[in-house]
Amino acid sequence: MKSNFFISLAVYSTLSLAMAGPNFTPDEQDEIVIAHNRWRSAENVSALHWSFALADNAQDYADTLKRAEACEPRHSQSSDLGENLFWASPIIFSDGASKVQRLTPTHVIDEWGSEKVNYWYPTNTCAASKMCGHFTQIVWKSTTEVGCGKAICPDNSQVWVCNYNPPGNFIGQKPY
């Protein structure tokens, strides 16, 4: 079985979104916001709120990754948003059958947040060969809203996308 893979990056350009239906239930949307705000609260950063526009954008991009990239997590290059990506492999059985891993929004957000152990605030750096950009995007002080989407791929892997506005992870700036 492949291991989970996730990356983070803030990308920049123009935001123009249309409102569409959410990929997550209202309870899952709340869970996403609560999980983010638990990490933000630990750093004394103000709470985020859910954005349907960001969720629509994130869902569109998750669907694009499913169609065009075979669910390979690649950052978008066309938005003015912060972005966290999460990819999970399918569960593969000995007979070759597979099924989708059952992941909760809290699990995904906590995977990103767990990078906190790799972040050193005094020097605003990640530990050598470690990731911390998901964590710093989650707790970026000026970010006020989040919206997420996910896609299940033909091989039963899945890709999650969360967008953040305003974006974070600016080089040379501390997150809080």
Side-chain angles (χ1 to χ4, degrees):
M1 180 181 348
K2 296 178 186 175
S3 63
N4 290 338
F5 172 76
F6 39 95
I7 49 183
S8 177
L9 174 72
V11 272
Y12 319 98
S13 77
T14 306
L15 168 66
S16 67
L17 303 170
M19 295 297 279
N23 182 268
F24 293 103
T25 68
D27 285 344
E28 290 170 322
Q29 293 166 17
D30 289 345
E31 184 179 348
I32 289 166
V33 170
I34 289 166
H36 275 86
N37 287 336
R38 186 171 29 83
W39 288 100
R40 292 175 67 83
S41 175
E43 305 307 327
N44 296 313
V45 178
S46 62
L48 297 179
H49 66 273
W50 184 261
S51 165
F52 286 100
L54 292 178
D56 288 342
N57 189 69
Q59 185 60 54
D60 286 347
Y61 190 59
D63 291 340
T64 296
L65 290 172
K66 176 182 176 178
R67 281 189 314 274
E69 303 296 335
C71 278
E72 185 175 328
R74 294 184 185 178
H75 280 287
S76 64
Q77 299 299 314
S78 63
S79 70
D80 192 27
L81 305 170
E83 180 178 87
N84 276 348
L85 301 178
F86 182 92
W87 177 85
S89 65
I91 296 171
I92 300 174
F93 299 95
S94 60
D95 66 358
S98 68
K99 73 175 188 177
V100 175
Q101 285 191 54
R102 186 167 186 258
L103 299 174
T104 65
T106 298
H107 173 86
V108 172
I109 305 325
D110 285 351
E111 284 286 335
W112 293 331
S114 70
E115 292 176 1
K116 177 180 180 174
V117 299
N118 301 328
Y119 178 66
W120 183 242
Y121 185 84
T123 60
N124 194 32
T125 58
C126 294
S129 302
K130 300 290 184 177
M131 297 174 81
C132 65
H134 297 98
F135 167 71
T136 55
Q137 177 57 78
I138 287 172
V139 299
W140 200 264
K141 186 176 185 175
S142 63
T143 299
T144 59
E145 53 188 0
V146 63
C148 303
K150 71 176 177 180
I152 306 300
C153 301
D155 68 352
N156 286 328
S157 66
Q158 56 192 295
V159 63
W160 294 56
V161 178
C162 285
N163 286 152
Y164 302 87
N165 189 44
N169 289 340
F170 292 101
I171 294 171
Q173 294 183 24
K174 289 185 175 183
Y176 47 89

